[in-house]
Amino acid sequence: MNNKWRIIFTSLTASIMLAACGTSDVDPEKETTGNAIEEPAAPETDAGEDTSSENDAEIETDSDEKTSVDAMKDAVETASDEQDYSMMVFPGYKLTSEEPGRDSLILEEDSEMFMRIETTPKDEESYTFDELYENTLELLKASSDGETPVELTDEADLPQADDIKSVKGAEVDSPEGHFTGYVIEREDKLIRVTIYAKEDNEHLKDFKDMAATIK
């Protein structure tokens, strides 16, 4: 019990006892009313629940990071046949060339989940970084039959690497599927990746982590 309430409760109890001792005509068997003191209930708190939620979130984050590190240890650096870049490819994925200027990183067990990769050298760029991002928003909207893409603002949802100069991303969900697009700026090239995968699927994170290694 809170010390403040303990002192108040003790003082009131002592006062009642002294009053009782100084009164000789009180019938001990007479039922009294109005003098009972209820101990204040301690306020409820959900601090324990908050702490538990925070701990669960930290454990989940640590687990995700460990999974990414483990996958990266087994990844193989793979060069594109058609474009001037290489990337780390996790086990279970395959990099293939669709056509000049466009590759696909495919999940081998389900080819409907894949990441399309397009790169443009800085000295030959048709778009600026911002123009390519705006074009990517249009691409996502068209892919989802007119749904409006939502920009990804949390760094954890974007490809991250020390040598990435700029990165923007957006996602859109529709009956046709879940689509994510990233535009990445490196020292010598612009990179656009478009991911076709299920929302919150473990492979979506794999695609994002591998996109961060394109250089």
Side-chain angles (χ1 to χ4, degrees), residues 15-198:
S15 298
I16 294 167
M17 292 177 65
L18 288 172
C21 291
T23 306
S24 59
D25 57 350
V26 175
D27 185 349
E29 295 182 3
K30 183 180 292 184
E31 191 174 4
T32 60
T33 60
N35 289 331
I37 305 298
E38 273 190 26
E39 180 179 345
E44 294 184 2
T45 175
D46 57 359
E49 294 179 3
D50 291 343
T51 302
S52 177
S53 297
E54 290 175 3
N55 289 340
D56 290 344
E58 289 177 2
I59 292 172
E60 184 175 348
T61 299
D62 292 342
S63 177
D64 288 343
E65 290 177 353
K66 183 178 184 302
T67 301
S68 295
V69 170
D70 290 344
M72 196 62 73
K73 285 180 180 178
D74 296 326
V76 176
E77 184 171 5
T78 306
S80 167
D81 293 333
E82 299 291 339
Q83 301 184 69
D84 184 21
Y85 75 86
S86 65
M87 66 181 297
M88 302 303 292
V89 177
F90 290 175
Y93 296 85
K94 182 180 180 181
L95 182 65
T96 63
S97 296
E98 293 183 13
E99 57 189 75
R102 183 175 294 177
D103 297 338
S104 285
L105 181 68
I106 300 172
L107 177 65
E108 291 182 320
E109 66 182 27
D110 184 356
S111 61
E112 291 186 2
M113 284 194 280
F114 64 95
M115 177 169 71
R116 180 167 290 129
I117 304 167
E118 303 165 80
T119 66
T120 305
K122 280 284 193 71
D123 55 2
E124 299 176 11
E125 63 184 11
S126 303
Y127 295 97
T128 65
F129 175 84
D130 288 333
E131 288 172 342
L132 185 57
Y133 176 68
E134 290 301 320
N135 182 265
T136 299
L137 294 179
E138 294 176 9
L139 176 63
L140 291 176
K141 187 173 183 178
S143 298
S144 61
D145 197 23
E147 297 293 330
T148 301
V150 177
E151 183 172 1
L152 298 169
T153 57
D154 190 336
E155 284 190 1
D157 295 328
L158 298 168
Q160 297 293 318
D162 292 339
D163 48 358
I164 290 178
K165 298 182 66 175
S166 301
V167 59
K168 280 188 176 182
E171 65 180 357
V172 63
D173 199 20
S174 75
E176 287 72 26
H178 186 79
F179 310 109
T180 307
Y182 300 117
V183 176
I184 302 168
E185 180 183 10
R186 289 196 174 273
E187 188 67 35
D188 62 339
K189 62 173 65 73
L190 290 178
I191 303 161
R192 172 164 68 187
V193 300
T194 314
I195 302 170
Y196 301 83
K198 298 174 183 176

